[in-house]
Amino acid sequence: MVFMDLNELRKRFSPSKPQISDAIDASPGQAARPMVSFNFIAANFTKTFAALLIILPVLITFSLIYRNPHSDHRSSPFADARVLDPKSSQINSQSFEHVEGADDKLLGGLLPSGFDVASCLSRYQSFMYRKASPFKPPSYLISRLRKYEEQHRRCGPGTQAYNEALSQLKSGNQSAVPTECNYVVWISFSGLGNRILTVSAAFLYALLSNRILLIDPGTDMTDLFCEPFPDTSWFLPHDFPLNNKFNGFNQKSSRCHGFMLKKNLLNASAEEVPAVPPYLYLHLGHDYNDHDKLFFCDEDQTLLDKVPWLIMRSDNYFVPSLYLIPSFEQELFKLFPEKVTIFHHLGRYLLHPTNEVWGLITRYYNAYLARADERIGIQIRTFEEGPGPFQHVNDQILSCISKEKLLPEVDRDNLAFGLSKNPRSIAVLVTSLDAGYSDSLRELYWEHPTVTGEAVGFYQPSHEGFQQSHKKNHNRKALAEMYLLSLSDKLVTSAWSTFGYVAQGFGGLKPWILYKPEDKKTPNPACGRAMSIEPCFHAPPFWDCKAKTGIDTGKLVPHVRHCEDISWGLKVVDGSEEL
């Protein structure tokens, strides 16, 4: 094509008397005359000029493209990430398989391969949006997960083993018979942050007790999360025989584990394990009583091991107390040599946002956060009565970010002026039910320059006013915001908030915690660094199962301590932190 164009251009710009040119080309052996020399030079000049007309625009284009390849991307490793459209996912997934490292895509082997990428874009694309985790999944955990997946395929809904176990529930028998597969059924309960934490805790319990986890879809779990296990489902079928009883289960239910212990209908301490029913209800909510809490005793686990179906309701991340069950302790050490990584690994393994939620995440990230040199997350949850924003909370946030040097100071005298045309940028993601806190921060950093000359922008995806856990769209936004917070370089969270726990766990971030204010006064200090990335168990038992007496369970082992934000809560640490 280039040669054809050149010929056309040569004809267009050749001398007006083509016969002379033709005579020259046809007679190379004749002596050169002055007229011939002039025509020869003109013809060659025409060829050169025509070539330049073709080549010059190409050179200019390449110069513009490669003059500064990083000018639009700054230092962000995520700048090329784009909103992922399920309609084009087949093309994206084919190139993705060849370009991206399989180890990164599978989170170091944590995730199984073989899923259809288009069905759940977040599963194999989440690594493109966050820094590589400093916590590598241990080989033993990976091996156990692969074994569990095989077990779930063999025992999941619709299989022969599942149908055989289900027949016991339908038969109405009062005494259970051994089954090939045993199950723990998680009831969808409480707010989204609590549900994310408790389903992870329930899965860990399933691993430790050799059970299959099935989860109640509730009103929105299928809308929020993809299937985590290949070639099977973890969602409880709609025709499960006990579905219509879930809302009625309580501490006085006839099959409640604690109630039956209280009435001496079960005796875990008997020399011979008594007959057990086909199912038991485990009440592990914040309001559970002393008999319900015996779930965390070894002898009760021996009893529960004989029950084919355990139905669990909880709004607590009860993992720390699993460490206090001797029969589970060694397996926990093998699964998680780095003890503080339990939710970090299990949350990223189990909980992949659906395509609808992933769209919310990627669209917001690409629009507001991707090109920043640094990303700071601030999660604000207040438990104050009355409408906000509250001035003492505003003061607390400013005190925390100033003392901990999370953001550059502002020059209130307006003497600092940035000389750089492209200053270093900081994107601050604020999540709160109230828009007032981010508005206050935005105004402060708009009205005054930073003393360092850095540009600070504040972004808040939503401000719903109040928690609306019963609404799908509200929960979609909540999950998207938890995930966006987890993509931060530094994170500030609020005391007592499971929303913040989820973000820090997903991101592997040790946050600064805004302490809970008392009497509408700003705490001093305003915040403190968390001991670990693990969530807090808000309502642990304080019971010595062997001595049958009360005890401070936060002092039994070095890797289970009291939480920074709730003095009576428990959390897993690495064993070396100071109280």
Side-chain angles (χ1 to χ4, degrees):
M1 291 294 295
V2 173
F3 294 112
M4 292 176 64
D5 292 338
L6 284 172
N7 289 331
E8 286 294 316
L9 287 167
R10 185 173 65 178
K11 292 177 182 178
R12 185 180 304 174
F13 292 101
S14 62
S16 58
K17 296 181 179 180
Q19 69 273 17
I20 297 176
S21 176
D22 291 341
I24 295 172
D25 291 341
S27 308
Q30 295 180 3
R33 294 189 299 270
M35 179 63 73
V36 173
S37 299
F38 175 81
N39 289 338
F40 180 81
I41 293 169
N44 279 280
F45 175 79
T46 301
K47 294 178 183 178
T48 303
F49 181 73
L52 286 174
L53 287 176
I54 296 298
I55 296 171
L56 188 59
V58 176
L59 292 175
I60 292 172
T61 301
F62 275 96
S63 174
L64 290 173
I65 292 173
Y66 291 105
R67 178 175 58 188
N68 188 4
H70 302 294
S71 61
D72 292 333
H73 300 281
R74 303 285 174 87
S75 60
S76 171
F78 309 113
D80 288 328
R82 291 292 177 263
V83 180
L84 302 167
D85 185 355
K87 295 179 181 178
S88 62
S89 60
Q90 185 175 2
I91 297 174
N92 290 338
S93 66
Q94 289 173 353
S95 58
F96 184 74
E97 293 284 348
H98 291 87
V99 174
E100 307 295 352
D103 191 59
D104 292 333
K105 183 179 70 169
L106 299 178
L107 304 183
L110 187 67
L111 303 182
S113 59
F115 277 101
D116 172 35
V117 174
S119 67
C120 185
L121 297 171
S122 67
R123 188 193 322 276
Y124 296 138
Q125 295 171 350
S126 62
F127 83 96
M128 300 162 63
Y129 288 82
R130 68 169 81 251
K131 293 179 180 178
S133 172
F135 306 105
K136 304 303 179 185
S139 58
Y140 184 76
L141 172 63
I142 293 172
S143 173
R144 284 287 286 113
L145 292 177
R146 299 296 88 83
K147 289 179 180 177
Y148 175 85
E149 291 156 11
E150 177 57 36
Q151 184 183 12
H152 201 110
R153 278 191 291 267
R154 190 177 69 253
C155 302
T159 62
Q160 181 177 347
Y162 172 83
N163 291 333
E164 289 176 358
L166 204 63
S167 65
Q168 290 209 54
L169 293 178
K170 296 178 178 179
S171 68
N173 293 336
Q174 297 302 306
S175 181
V177 297
T179 55
E180 179 185 352
C181 304
N182 290 341
Y183 301 83
V184 56
V185 175
W186 173 88
I187 297 177
S188 184
F189 171 62
S190 193
L192 182 57
N194 297 69
R195 283 186 282 159
I196 289 173
L197 297 180
T198 58
V199 77
S200 302
F203 178 70
L204 178 57
Y205 176 68
L207 282 181
L208 296 172
S209 59
N210 196 34
R211 290 179 177 272
I212 299 299
L213 173 67
L214 298 176
I215 72 167
D216 165 28
T219 58
D220 62 359
M221 291 298 286
T222 56
D223 183 63
L224 297 173
F225 300 107
C226 305
E227 295 277 8
F229 313 127
D231 305 318
T232 186
S233 177
W234 73 336
F235 291 114
L236 199 66
H238 294 296
D239 59 354
F240 185 68
L242 301 180
N243 273 343
N244 59 354
K245 294 186 178 182
F246 286 170
N247 290 335
F249 280 139
N250 57 54
Q251 291 166 285
K252 294 183 179 180
S253 296
S254 60
R255 292 288 178 85
C256 177
H257 168 243
F259 179 81
M260 294 186 75
L261 289 175
K262 182 178 180 179
K263 297 296 183 181
N264 293 318
L265 299 174
L266 290 173
N267 188 355
S269 60
E271 293 184 4
E272 294 186 6
V273 177
V276 294
Y279 81 90
L280 284 175
Y281 165 63
L282 303 173
H283 188 87
L284 301 179
H286 65 277
D287 60 345
Y288 61 167
N289 60 38
D290 291 342
H291 287 92
D292 298 320
K293 295 174 184 178
L294 295 178
F295 167 83
F296 296 104
C297 292
D298 234 347
E299 60 187 28
D300 279 80
Q301 285 301 320
T302 301
L303 176 93
L304 294 173
D305 191 52
K306 309 296 181 183
V307 182
W309 294 90
L310 297 178
I311 316 298
M312 177 187 293
R313 173 184 277 124
S314 178
D315 55 0
N316 273 301
Y317 182 73
F318 54 80
V319 167
S321 287
L322 295 179
Y323 272 98
L324 306 181
I325 301 175
S327 60
F328 291 162
E329 192 175 28
Q330 289 306 311
E331 183 70 2
L332 281 167
F333 290 163
K334 292 167 65 178
L335 288 169
F336 303 100
E338 291 182 282
K339 301 176 185 67
V340 298
T341 62
I342 299 169
F343 177 69
H344 179 62
H345 289 322
L346 295 185
R348 294 184 309 146
Y349 169 72
L350 290 171
L351 300 162
H352 309 287
T354 57
N355 289 346
E356 290 75 14
V357 179
W358 189 238
L360 294 176
I361 295 166
T362 56
R363 284 191 291 274
Y364 200 90
Y365 184 89
N366 290 326
Y368 302 107
L369 307 176
R371 290 173 176 79
D373 294 301
E374 185 178 17
R375 285 164 287 276
I376 307 294
I378 302 179
Q379 181 259 333
I380 304 167
R381 175 65 191 274
T382 63
F383 296 90
E384 308 280 3
E385 295 182 0
F390 302 97
Q391 186 57 47
H392 65 279
V393 176
N394 260 327
D395 295 340
Q396 180 182 10
I397 297 166
L398 287 172
S399 176
C400 177
I401 62 178
S402 174
K403 180 181 178 182
E404 301 299 334
K405 302 186 185 306
L406 299 175
L407 289 176
E409 297 282 354
V410 297
D411 177 13
R412 294 181 182 272
D413 295 324
N414 294 329
L415 298 177
F417 291 94
L419 299 178
S420 173
K421 187 177 181 181
N422 295 304
R424 184 174 180 272
S425 64
I426 301 174
V428 183
L429 177 74
V430 180
T431 66
S432 175
L433 294 172
D434 195 312
Y437 301 109
S438 62
D439 287 345
S440 177
L441 289 167
R442 186 182 297 109
E443 286 184 18
L444 176 65
Y445 278 82
W446 181 37
E447 293 173 355
H448 306 286
T450 60
V451 295
T452 58
E454 292 170 297
V456 183
F458 292 86
Y459 308 96
Q460 181 170 345
S462 72
H463 42 87
E464 300 283 280
F466 59 95
Q467 190 168 338
Q468 305 167 55
S469 298
H470 59 288
K471 292 186 177 180
K472 281 187 179 182
N473 200 43
H474 177 87
N475 286 330
R476 286 176 184 170
K477 293 178 181 178
L479 177 56
E481 292 184 11
M482 291 180 204
Y483 208 99
L484 285 166
L485 284 170
S486 78
L487 303 179
S488 304
D489 298 304
K490 297 174 184 176
L491 181 63
V492 179
T493 62
S494 295
W496 295 31
S497 175
T498 57
F499 196 107
Y501 296 161
V502 171
Q504 72 191 46
F506 278 168
L509 300 167
K510 190 186 290 186
W512 284 264
I513 302 174
L514 295 167
Y515 297 128
K516 187 174 182 293
E518 300 292 342
D519 300 322
K520 296 188 180 299
K521 295 179 180 179
T522 298
N524 186 19
C527 63
R529 195 75 185 271
M531 291 184 289
S532 78
I533 65 175
E534 273 288 289
C536 179
F537 180 8
H538 286 181
F542 293 96
W543 182 253
D544 187 325
C545 295
K546 290 184 179 179
K548 309 296 184 186
T549 185
I551 195 172
D552 185 350
T553 49
K555 296 182 178 180
L556 292 180
V557 293
H559 46 276
V560 175
R561 299 279 182 85
H562 288 298
C563 307
E564 309 88 346
D565 54 334
I566 297 182
S567 60
W568 58 87
L570 296 181
K571 73 182 300 182
V572 178
V573 298
D574 70 13
S576 62
E577 289 85 351
E578 295 296 328
L579 288 172

